[in-house]
């Protein structure tokens, strides 16, 4: 029997535990040790992270952890910068948004006579340390203190891609029927709160999402109606153009039995993925099962079990074919997500193409990753397979996940692997231990 095993023969779970103790650059060095280590460790930018509770005083307001599938645990990501803009906040900060390497942090503000109703909202990049203050109206701390029902969505702020202090747009659901909007163009900023009760037939808001260019936001109501919020940020005669709101479809057009299911699935999300618009409906945990007639004229009973997931795709109007009629826009049942892995939460839904480089287990195509609240007051993650129509629970995070949110490192963070990838390609299966400690 050999007295020493090769580094390449280490179990993938042990490799994950070793790598998770390293900061970002050290993790990239671990991936360069050998082919088997690289296969066991997903690329840093493809690993979804989540905000976790600050259980140790050495960690600042922002703590992110990654789920290691091989090691079956969550590990805190080391080497992140901490924001300074929350120094005057009295309440605990929490993540209420994420996109493209940025997070939105919000907390109660200690300044002013109305401190209980004020807040500090900050757009922050934990890799570069850049901070962009946002308008306080985007986050209402009073909603946090109200007893939340199991169907109430967590606070969520979405924002345009590649934000800068001189050019950005941000939207949040600050109340069930209130939208807060901030627009900044060429350094000129404006903020307003829209009452959506009259605009959306008194239906409460369920979700909001940005498109790819940051000029259009989509608002989803509890019953599945989608409205388009046009944020044309071009300036006209020194002023920002007005915001326009219009329904995507005149009435929520769902095929049977989805017209019934829409009334019994309170957890709803919008997803823009591969050029298509999807709705994801869930019967949330703790709501129990629901039984209802399948339709107005159909006496057959429809059972909607707790935890059930439904995905619908928007079908735009089609022009009339020869001898046919023009097809109106509608929503139809979707069997897949175009091969993407979609991550839902208090963030703009992130859609990632399936990545085979060490991430096959964590980034499965045509799967939904979502959060469900727990009795302990935190959240647990699930993955739903469109092919199997089954949800699987991911390992729980030590200390608890504080916000139902997914975060991805920005694409620029991949540069930390530039010095290690070349060495790995030229290396043999066995590499000196010195490479691990680079």
């Amino acid at each position: 029997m050999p007295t020493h095993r090769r580094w390449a023969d280490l179990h993938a779970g042990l490799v994950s535990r070793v790598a998770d103790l390293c900061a970002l650059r050290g993790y990239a060095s671990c991936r360069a040790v050998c082919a088997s280590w690289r296969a066991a460790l997903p690329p840093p930018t493809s690993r979804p992270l989540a905000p976790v509770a600050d259980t140790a005083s050495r960690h600042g307001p922002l703590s992110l952890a990654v789920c290691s599938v091989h090691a079956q645990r969550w590990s805190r990501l080391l080497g992140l910068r901490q924001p300074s803009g929350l120094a005057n906040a009295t309440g605990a900060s929490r993540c209420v948004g994420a996109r493209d390497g940025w997070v939105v942090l919000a907390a109660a503000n200690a300044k002013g006579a109305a401190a209980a109703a004020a807040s500090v909202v900050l757009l922050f990049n934990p890799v570069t340390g850049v901070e962009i203050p946002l308008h306080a109206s985007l986050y209402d701390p009073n909603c946090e203190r109200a007893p939340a029902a199991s169907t109430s969505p967590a606070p969520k702020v979405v924002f345009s891609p590649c934000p800068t202090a001189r050019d950005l747009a941000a939207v949040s659901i600050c109340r069930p029927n209130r939208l807060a909007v901030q627009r900044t163009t060429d350094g000129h900023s404006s903020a307003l709160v829209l009452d959506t009760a009259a605009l959306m037939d008194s239906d409460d808001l369920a979700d909001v999402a940005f498109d790819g260019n940051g000029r259009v936001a989509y608002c989803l109501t509890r019953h599945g109606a989608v409205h388009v919020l046009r944020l044309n940020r071009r300036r006209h005669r020194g002023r920002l153009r007005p915001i326009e709101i219009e329904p995507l479809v005149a009435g929520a057009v769902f095929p049977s039995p989805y017209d019934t299911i829409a009334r019994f699935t309170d957890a709803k999300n919008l997803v823009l993925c591969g050029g298509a618009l999807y709705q994801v409906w869930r019967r949330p945990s703790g709501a129990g099962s629901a039984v209802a007639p399948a339709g107005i004229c159909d006496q057959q009973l429809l059972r909607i079990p707790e935890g059930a997931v439904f995905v619908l795709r928007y079908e735009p109007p089609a022009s009339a074919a020869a001898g046919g009629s023009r097809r109106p826009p509608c929503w139809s049942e979707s069997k897949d997500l175009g091969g993407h892995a979609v991550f839902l939460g208090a963030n703009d839904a992130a859609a990632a193409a399936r990545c085979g480089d060490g991430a096959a287990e964590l980034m499965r195509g045509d799967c939904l990753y979502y959060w469900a609240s727990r009795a302990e007051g935190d959240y647990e993650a699930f993955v739903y397979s469109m092919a199997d129509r089954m949800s699987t629970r991911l390992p729980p995070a030590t200390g608890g996940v504080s916000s139902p949110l997914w975060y991805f490192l920005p694409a620029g963070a991949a540069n930390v692997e530039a010095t290690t990838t070349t060495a790995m390609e030229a290396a043999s299966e066995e590499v000196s231990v010195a490479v691990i400690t680079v």
Side-chain angles (χ1 to χ4, degrees):
M1 295 290 292
T3 56
H4 299 286
R5 296 179 63 184
R6 300 191 308 166
W7 290 105
D9 293 335
L10 289 180
H11 188 271
L14 181 58
V15 174
S16 294
R17 288 181 176 268
V18 171
D20 286 339
L21 296 176
C22 302
L24 188 57
R25 188 173 297 276
Y27 181 92
S29 296
C30 287
R31 297 193 74 237
V33 170
C34 59
S36 62
W37 282 38
R38 188 175 182 87
L41 303 175
T45 54
S46 74
R47 301 189 303 169
L49 296 100
V52 291
D54 188 7
T55 56
S57 59
R58 69 178 183 275
H59 298 293
L62 179 65
S63 294
L64 298 172
V66 61
C67 181
S68 301
V69 175
H70 289 302
Q72 289 294 296
R73 68 169 189 167
W74 290 75
S75 301
R76 197 181 301 270
L77 183 67
L78 304 177
L80 294 178
R81 299 177 184 268
Q82 295 297 327
S84 60
L86 300 176
N88 295 324
T90 55
S93 64
R94 64 173 301 173
C95 290
V96 293
R99 178 176 188 157
D100 303 331
W102 293 81
V103 296
V104 179
L105 301 175
N109 192 356
K111 295 182 178 180
S119 60
V120 177
V121 188
L122 187 69
L123 193 58
F124 178 63
N125 190 318
V127 176
T128 63
V130 175
E131 302 180 20
I132 303 176
L134 298 180
H135 198 269
S137 62
L138 293 171
Y139 175 74
D140 189 347
N142 290 325
C143 293
E144 289 290 300
R145 287 188 284 272
S150 59
T151 58
S152 297
K156 177 176 181 177
V157 179
V158 298
F159 50 94
S160 54
C162 305
T164 66
R166 295 183 56 83
D167 189 10
L168 66 89
V171 181
S172 74
I173 302 175
C174 56
R175 294 275 178 163
N177 57 356
R178 297 285 192 277
L179 276 177
V181 181
Q182 177 182 348
R183 296 183 297 170
T184 303
T185 301
D186 298 330
H188 298 274
S189 183
S190 67
L192 72 160
V193 177
L194 299 173
D195 186 346
T196 61
L199 298 172
M200 301 180 185
D201 299 327
S202 300
D203 195 3
D204 286 348
L205 295 165
D207 196 21
V208 60
F210 260 108
D211 70 343
N213 59 29
R215 294 182 178 175
V216 174
Y218 295 91
C219 303
L220 176 65
T221 69
R222 292 288 188 182
H223 291 159
V226 178
H227 290 72
V228 182
L229 190 68
R230 301 192 184 280
L231 306 171
N232 193 327
R233 291 179 287 135
R234 292 178 296 175
R235 295 178 62 81
H236 178 66
R237 295 181 180 178
R239 295 183 180 182
L240 290 172
R241 295 180 181 272
I243 296 173
E244 300 176 0
I245 301 179
E246 60 185 8
L248 179 67
V249 182
V253 183
F254 302 116
S256 180
Y258 289 100
D259 51 351
T260 300
I261 294 174
R263 295 186 284 113
F264 295 93
T265 47
D266 293 321
K268 290 183 170 68
N269 290 95
L270 279 173
V271 178
L272 286 92
C273 174
L277 180 63
Y278 297 86
Q279 287 194 44
V280 179
W281 300 349
R282 289 188 297 110
R283 180 77 178 171
S285 302
S289 299
V291 178
I296 297 177
C297 301
D298 191 348
Q299 298 302 315
Q300 182 179 359
L301 294 180
L302 176 68
R303 183 177 180 271
I304 307 171
E306 177 181 324
V309 179
F310 306 93
V311 181
L312 292 94
R313 176 179 171 135
Y314 174 66
E315 304 293 344
S319 55
S325 59
R326 185 175 183 269
R327 189 196 68 196
C330 63
W331 295 90
S332 63
E333 180 184 9
S334 180
K335 302 293 185 181
D336 58 57
L337 293 166
H340 292 82
V342 175
F343 294 82
L344 303 174
N347 53 278
D348 244 322
R354 181 174 179 176
C355 179
D357 186 12
E361 287 192 52
L362 198 61
M363 301 279 283
R364 290 182 289 165
D366 292 322
C367 283
L368 291 165
Y369 294 78
Y370 65 91
W371 296 97
S373 58
R374 299 201 309 164
E376 290 79 359
D378 60 351
Y379 302 88
E380 57 184 347
F382 288 80
V383 53
Y384 174 80
S385 171
M386 297 284 289
D388 302 334
R389 295 180 177 271
M390 295 288 293
S391 291
T392 305
R393 181 183 285 105
L394 294 182
T398 303
V401 171
S402 57
S403 297
L405 176 147
W406 297 103
Y407 171 85
F408 285 85
L409 288 167
N415 294 334
V416 299
E417 293 192 276
T419 59
T420 57
T421 302
T422 303
M424 189 236 22
E425 292 174 348
S428 62
E429 282 292 312
E430 292 191 75
V431 184
S432 170
V433 179
V435 177
I436 306 175
T437 59
V438 170

